[in-house]
């Protein structure tokens, strides 16, 4: 994964020390007949499946970042429907360079502008891009599965409302 320019500038000063950074994830949903599908990417750095994710640039609004990341990674335009969750993700070390990072993830639900059929691998961050029925997912980290459930509930009108906070003991506010 390429390092964002802002992070690269910080790394010149702090080396591999921890960076605390805002990030986004966006569950892009579309309806196909009676099924709901989610757009997923298989990451090129570790091969895992997840929704579209990325780092918020300095001064960038998180929803604007989610739209930008979707275009950069999948080639499609999206609209944002709602903020679903805000979570401090676990600290991790990036393989290959030893950089330590911890993200504050703002998780959104959105939809493609148009049908989304032209979604494709649009940069080096993805090995694959694909639409998956929300009940037939490839293996994904639990936090993404949990947030996808919120996205599906939001789309179907059964979401309890509010934003989920935290990873372990979510609170609805």
């Amino acid at each position: 994964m390429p390092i964002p320019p802002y992070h690269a500038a910080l790394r010149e000063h702090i080396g591999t020390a921890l960076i605390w950074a805002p990030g986004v994830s966006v569950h892009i949903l579309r309806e196909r007949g009676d099924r709901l599908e989610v757009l997923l990417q298989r990451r090129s750095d570790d091969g895992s499946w997840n929704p579209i994710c990325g780092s918020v640039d300095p001064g960038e609004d998180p929803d604007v970042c989610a739209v930008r990341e979707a275009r950069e990674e999948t080639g499609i335009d999206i609209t944002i429907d709602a903020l679903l969750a805000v979570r401090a993700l676990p600290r991790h070390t990036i393989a290959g360079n030893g950089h330590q990072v911890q993200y504050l993830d703002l998780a959104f639900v959105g939809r493609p502008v148009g049908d989304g059929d032209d979604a494709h691998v649009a940069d080096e961050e993805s090995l694959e891009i694909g639409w998956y029925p929300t009940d037939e997912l490839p293996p994904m980290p639990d936090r993404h599965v949990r947030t996808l459930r919120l996205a599906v509930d939001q789309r179907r009108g059964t979401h309890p409302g509010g934003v989920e906070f935290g990873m372990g003991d979510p609170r609805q506010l």
Side-chain angles (χ1 to χ4, degrees), residues 58-136:
E60 183 178 39
D61 286 325
D63 61 324
V64 172
C65 175
V67 170
R68 174 182 56 78
E69 289 288 345
R71 173 154 266 302
E72 289 175 1
E73 296 180 13
T74 71
I76 67 168
D77 292 317
I78 67 166
T79 59
I80 298 297
D81 294 332
L83 174 66
L84 298 170
V86 177
R87 300 182 178 119
L89 302 183
R91 179 179 178 160
H92 72 278
T93 302
I94 298 170
N97 64 19
H99 293 173
Q100 297 174 59
V101 66
Q102 185 172 17
Y103 286 99
L104 175 66
D105 180 49
L106 295 103
F108 293 95
V109 60
R111 65 184 70 226
V113 173
D115 60 18
D117 285 344
D118 54 344
H120 62 278
V121 173
D123 66 13
E124 68 282 353
E125 294 185 36
S126 304
L127 296 172
E128 295 178 63
I129 296 288
W131 290 100
Y132 289 85
T134 57
D135 57 353
E136 296 176 19

Side-chain angles (χ1 to χ4, degrees), residues 145-165:
V145 173
R146 183 168 156 178
T147 307
L148 177 58
R149 282 190 218 115
L150 295 175
V152 168
D153 289 348
Q154 191 276 343
R155 180 60 56 84
R156 292 187 173 146
T158 58
H159 188 277
V163 174
E164 184 176 282
F165 290 87

Side-chain angles (χ1 to χ4, degrees), residues 16-75:
T16 62
L18 177 67
I19 291 178
W20 170 249
V24 299
S25 57
V26 58
H27 292 272
I28 304 165
L29 300 177
R30 72 176 184 181
E31 294 178 21
R32 279 288 183 252
D34 62 346
R35 298 188 90 167
L36 197 56
E37 295 179 332
V38 61
L39 185 61
L40 300 175
Q41 83 172 153
R42 190 161 68 93
R43 297 173 55 100
S44 61
D45 60 347
D46 65 8
S48 68
W49 285 96
N50 55 249
I52 303 308
C53 300
S55 296
V56 180
D57 290 336
E60 183 178 39
D61 286 325
D63 61 324
V64 172
C65 175
V67 170
R68 174 182 56 78
E69 289 288 345
R71 173 154 266 302
E72 289 175 1
E73 296 180 13
T74 71

